[in-house]
Structures are given as structure tokens and as C-alpha cells.
Amino acid sequence: DQQVKQNSPSLSVQEGRISILNCDYTNSMFDYFLWYKKYPAEGPTFLISISSIKDKNEDGRFTVFLNKSAKHLSLHIVPSQPGDSAVYFCAASEGDNFNKFYFGSGTKLNVKP
Amino acid sequence: EAGVAQSPRYKIIEKRQSVAFWCNPISGHATLYWYQQILGQGPKLLIQFQNNGVVDDSQLPKDRFSAERLKGVDSTLKIQPAKLEDSAVYLCASSSGTASYEQYFGPGTRLTVT
């Protein structure tokens, strides 16, 4: 039973435009969310996080939005750059559960020059 | 700061053989994770250590998988005997285990079982 879902396996965006990656979760006890970025043949690297006490967190070109009532979060990348082309995973955790994270299946972003 | 090290990077074995993976976490990181990532899926937690104690191994197939963390530092994950469905990338990650939720991942070991 997948508790974190990324329903779009791939996304293609033109350089300079906005990329929006979506993630849905089913467990209402999740209260901390992460986005990871993964290049081929490398491990995932941390990108940005958000806790359930916030509905938005921004870091440079990356913004994560959290809609707790809809159990939905999204990652916005503005402007998108070719170097952003990678697989993006969202992950969710119950805060007091020793950092046990559940990952989505990933969305492959392709930013075209 | 050195990252999480894993070896080998690639391994090809036949079904029913055994295999072992090694992980060296970031120095000082108390929490170590082993994940299995099957092609097209996200990482799935197999086992989580806090220092050298097991915090969670609920998704570890204990009839064939085993893991240990020696002296709270390095860790090994073993599969014996391997099945075709064990073909995956095995990722090791570590975190400071305190207020930070950020996990640092190694490059992974790609296992192919034929």
C-alpha cells in the first residue's frame, strides 16, 4: 500500500518556464515532507523540506507548497534550467518516528534548452 | 566532509547465490538506513539503525536478508539466497538523527540477479 504517490512519471518543460511537480499522500499523521533530486548513477540529494505547521517554504528557485486538507504537496521550480533535469522524489514522515520516510515513485523532469 | 560511501557499485550474481553490500556513513551520523529501490519505484526502507541498534526492520525479508552495523559505524547488508526479484539498487543513507530530518544518500549498489 503506497502511502506517498507521484502520479506523473515524467514532465517536460521549456527552459525559463515553471516546473510543477506534484505529490499526494494518504496518511494524515505525516507531518514532515522532503523533496529529493536524483541524477543517474547517483544517490538522491536533499532539495527542500516543509513541516505541517507551514503551507509554503521557499529556497531560491524552489518552493514547496503543502495543502494538508487535500493531503497534497507540490514543488515549483522557477525558472527551470537544463541542469534541473533529474528525477524528483517526495518523501513523508511522521515526525516522532525516528525519521522513517516513505518515498513516492518519482517524477522525471526534462528541461529543454 | 566526506559523503556516504558504498561498495561495490555494481554486482551481478545468479539466483540462489549470496551477496553482501557495505556502507560507511558520514562521520558522526548516528542513524543509518538501507533502502531498496526497484526500477520505476521510489526507495523503500529495509532497515534503520540508531547507533548499532535496530529501530525499524519491518520491511526487511528476514528469511533471506540480514544487516548489521558494527560498533555503530559501518554497516553490511547481506542477501542469501538471492532471488530474481531482488534485482534493484540498494541505497545506504545516514542522518545525524537529531533535529535534522535530512538524510544523506550514498551512490547505491546496483544488483542484478540472473
Side-chain angles (χ1 to χ4, degrees):
Chain A
D1 180 30
Q2 213 174 349
Q3 300 190 54
V4 179
K5 297 180 182 179
Q6 294 177 257
N7 293 318
S8 298
S10 64
L11 175 68
S12 188
V13 171
Q14 203 68 37
E15 181 179 6
R17 308 294 286 266
I18 184 171
S19 296
I20 300 176
L21 296 94
N22 294 304
C23 179
D24 297 293
Y25 60 97
T26 57
N27 187 343
S28 58
M29 299 301 292
F30 287 151
D31 60 0
Y32 204 84
F33 305 88
L34 304 177
W35 282 93
Y36 279 86
K37 177 179 180 179
K38 185 183 182 304
Y39 292 117
E42 296 182 11
T45 55
F46 170 76
L47 190 58
I48 192 169
S49 65
I50 189 167
S51 74
S52 59
I53 61 173
K54 293 185 174 181
D55 55 17
K56 175 183 173 181
N57 189 27
E58 203 169 344
D59 184 1
R61 297 185 297 113
F62 302 90
T63 303
V64 57
F65 295 91
L66 176 62
N67 183 334
K68 291 183 288 293
S69 60
K71 297 192 185 71
H72 176 84
L73 64 156
S74 61
L75 175 68
H76 293 211
I77 307 174
V78 184
S80 300
Q81 299 174 355
D84 297 329
S85 297
V87 177
Y88 290 79
F89 293 98
C90 67
S93 170
E94 295 180 42
D96 60 355
N97 197 13
F98 287 98
N99 302 357
K100 178 179 180 178
F101 279 91
Y102 296 85
F103 283 78
S105 55
T107 297
K108 185 174 183 179
L109 174 65
N110 179 34
V111 180
K112 297 176 287 186
Chain B
E1 177 181 77
V4 176
Q6 289 188 249
S7 67
R9 291 296 308 275
Y10 305 92
K11 190 74 176 178
I12 300 174
I13 61 172
E14 295 182 353
K15 60 183 179 183
R16 290 187 290 273
Q17 287 187 323
S18 62
V19 65
F21 313 127
W22 174 82
C23 173
N24 180 241
I26 291 173
S27 177
H29 277 192
T31 310
L32 185 146
Y33 313 79
W34 282 103
Y35 288 89
Q36 179 193 59
Q37 186 179 11
I38 293 172
L39 187 65
Q41 299 181 19
K44 183 184 84 172
L45 180 69
L46 292 176
I47 188 167
Q48 179 177 342
F49 292 95
Q50 185 79 9
N51 297 308
N52 59 352
V54 176
V55 172
D56 189 312
D57 63 357
S58 58
Q59 297 193 93
L60 186 75
K62 298 182 187 63
D63 58 333
R64 298 184 301 107
F65 285 64
S66 64
E68 60 179 2
R69 189 176 185 194
L70 303 173
K71 299 180 182 177
V73 182
D74 292 7
S75 178
T76 55
L77 176 69
K78 297 179 181 177
I79 308 175
Q80 182 179 11
K83 293 185 175 181
L84 295 176
E85 58 261 36
D86 298 332
S87 294
V89 175
Y90 290 84
L91 293 162
C92 178
S94 69
S95 72
S96 61
T98 55
S100 170
Y101 287 82
E102 183 177 345
Q103 297 180 21
Y104 296 82
F105 283 83
T109 296
R110 180 175 295 279
L111 173 67
T112 302
V113 182
T114 63

